[in-house]
Amino acid sequence: MNKLLGALLILSAAGAVYALHIRQKRQMLRILQELSSALRRIEAEIRWRNMPLPEVIQSLVENPVIGEHFSQLLHGLKGDIPLQRIWDEVFRNMKPEAAADLVCRLQLSGDAQHVMESLRYGAEGLTELLEKLQQERVHNEKIYLAASLTAAGLLVILLI
């Protein structure tokens, strides 16, 4: 009986590890999707409504997925720190690193046309990265599930 209970606990732990991994990957993809949309929105607000960047950033603070990033940006702007430096600090530790590099390369200084082009480039780059990661996700989820169940199965065999 104890062996069966131990086997059940091992299988449960493997399932929990798998579920945690999947949830983290999906959250990362959701953040990339929201950030790409936010960059497109910033570009559109500057282009069509001629809004200053701090006002656009303020409107993005309410986003439940990435609002914290824009809240940090807004807080840094109140401290009289250059936007480019704050932007780099906020997004430097973003996962995956390819997204962080892409977002930190955006040039947010200069004339409005240059900023809009940079934002559009960033949004397109994030969209391409997101599509690539989504294609890999399905394949990686299957591999991770197989590895988790195999490891759990081996432990169960050793236990019994």
Side-chain angles (χ1 to χ4, degrees):
M1 182 66 175
N2 286 339
K3 288 184 179 184
L4 289 177
L5 184 59
L8 183 62
L9 288 174
I10 290 171
L11 289 172
S12 298
V17 167
Y18 173 73
L20 177 66
H21 173 76
I22 297 305
R23 188 169 4 128
Q24 288 173 341
K25 289 295 182 183
R26 288 182 180 171
Q27 179 66 19
M28 180 189 67
L29 293 174
R30 174 72 187 206
I31 289 170
L32 290 178
Q33 184 178 29
E34 288 293 321
L35 186 56
S36 177
S37 295
L39 293 179
R40 289 182 197 284
R41 180 175 172 195
I42 293 170
E43 191 259 337
E45 294 287 347
I46 292 171
R47 177 180 306 278
W48 303 113
R49 296 181 64 201
N50 204 21
M51 286 181 70
L53 203 50
E55 286 182 30
V56 180
I57 290 171
Q58 173 67 43
S59 70
L60 294 168
V61 169
E62 300 301 320
N63 185 305
V65 178
I66 57 169
E68 180 61 31
H69 292 74
F70 289 101
S71 178
Q72 291 174 16
L73 283 171
L74 202 58
H75 181 69
L77 286 175
K78 292 177 184 174
D80 214 20
I81 301 171
L83 176 61
Q84 191 68 49
R85 190 169 125 209
I86 300 166
W87 185 271
D88 291 346
E89 288 174 8
V90 168
F91 291 107
R92 177 55 48 202
N93 295 323
M94 186 179 175
K95 298 291 180 201
E97 288 182 24
D101 291 341
L102 181 69
V103 173
C104 288
R105 279 195 307 240
L106 298 180
Q107 295 298 314
L108 302 173
S109 58
D111 66 344
Q113 186 65 32
H114 178 72
V115 172
M116 288 185 298
E117 287 174 9
S118 183
L119 290 167
R120 188 171 39 255
Y121 165 79
E124 289 170 359
L126 284 176
T127 301
E128 289 173 11
L129 178 62
L130 181 63
E131 289 171 358
K132 177 184 170 197
L133 291 174
Q134 284 175 334
Q135 289 172 355
E136 292 174 358
R137 178 184 61 94
V138 174
H139 177 71
N140 290 341
E141 283 179 4
K142 290 177 183 178
I143 290 173
Y144 205 85
L145 177 62
S148 297
L149 292 177
T150 301
L154 287 174
L155 286 174
V156 167
I157 289 171
L158 289 175
L159 183 66
I160 294 178

